[in-house]
Amino acid sequence: MKDIMILGIESSCDETSVAIVKNGRQVLTNTINTQIEIHKQFGGVVPEIASRKHIENISNVTKIALKDANISFKDIDAVACTYGPGLVGALLVGVGYAKALSYALDKPLVGVNHIEGHIAGNYITFPELEPPFLCLVISGGHTHLIYIRDYTEFEILGKTRDDAIGEAYDKVARVIGLEYPGGPKIDKLAKDGKAEITLPETYFDNLDFSFSGIKTAVLNLNHKQPDINKADLCASFEKATTDMLINNTQKAVKAIKVNKIALAGGVSANSYIRQRFKKLGEEMNIRVYYPEIKLCTDNAAMIASAGYYNFIKGKISGLDLNAVPNLKIGEN
Ligand code: KG4
Ligand code: ZN
């Protein structure tokens, strides 16, 4: 079969990224221009600044990607871009650029759901991984437990009713004086602490999550006891939030009888979470997958991979593709 080369574009938040991926799994390049240094000074992503930086950078990032992969536009079979969920102004830059490329090169356009992209990060790290499997998507914007029935067929089993887990990590980090993005800083500091502070965990009858209660509890505790040991607080926060993730995942595994669990999204880079899921896998005798660190946070290789599976299923977008900031998964 002929090789299929997808050019992927990601611009949903604060990373401008362009990747070239062969046959959905082989990354020729995954060029990422991150705006973290810019948004750091504001303690979080400023949407308007993000859009402006994307528009400034996208052509250059594409040029670098093609050079790195040592290919030219004519070698590409389709252009895939994230069209949601995400920040609308940021998404529009990637969508607009992808449409222009698709039109000028006369190549198909494939709109990709960002969450599908995160899931596909695992296909790149594990070339042998195939659906069906259970995937826990944990990022700055999402906390979803999803049954991956097939490459483009998804069933939501549970999701957060309020904050995404990464949002809670970033907020907790901010109040204890750690820089944006807070997740990696909490990960590091927690290693020096003891998880001995009791924090509230929220459970429902179904597989939904809630992280606003624990977030508020940590904020209040830190306010009332400014001298509280920050490393202990981080370790306790990590433990309690991971308990909630593990509880629902375990319930889902039992309910749908899968033998593979994948983690995805920025928060899946967390070393404590990875260690707890590894242990869960051993206890339940199931295989646990998580993407290599650079494929956990936002990048275009995962978008190109998800784009490939849509492309081979004939799921092509028209030139009227628009950004959908609140795009859902498993409903379209
Ligand atoms: O997937 P991502 O890049 O963007 C979204 O789609 O939301 O995820 C970013 C999130 C941020 O909240 C960041 O703090 C978190 O991932 N994150 C981590 C770690 N690395 C990134 N959270 C906990 N531990 C980490 N090591
Ligand atoms: Zn993301």
Side-chain angles (χ1 to χ4, degrees), residues 197-246:
I197 302 167
T198 307
L199 295 169
E201 297 178 15
T202 310
Y203 297 101
F204 299 104
D205 288 341
N206 63 9
L207 297 171
D208 281 350
F209 298 96
S210 165
F211 296 102
S212 69
I214 188 167
K215 178 191 75 182
T216 309
V218 174
L219 266 48
N220 288 341
L221 201 58
N222 188 63
H223 182 68
K224 284 190 202 132
Q225 299 176 44
D227 301 334
I228 197 162
N229 182 303
K230 306 294 188 243
D232 289 351
L233 195 55
C234 287
S236 307
F237 172 75
E238 247 183 19
K239 181 189 175 295
T241 46
T242 310
D243 281 349
M244 295 187 251
L245 298 177
I246 295 266

Side-chain angles (χ1 to χ4, degrees), residues 247-261:
N247 176 80
N248 286 14
T249 307
Q250 211 165 6
K251 261 165 73 181
V253 168
K254 285 182 186 150
I256 58 169
K257 300 189 173 47
V258 280
N259 60 5
K260 290 180 267 184
I261 310 172

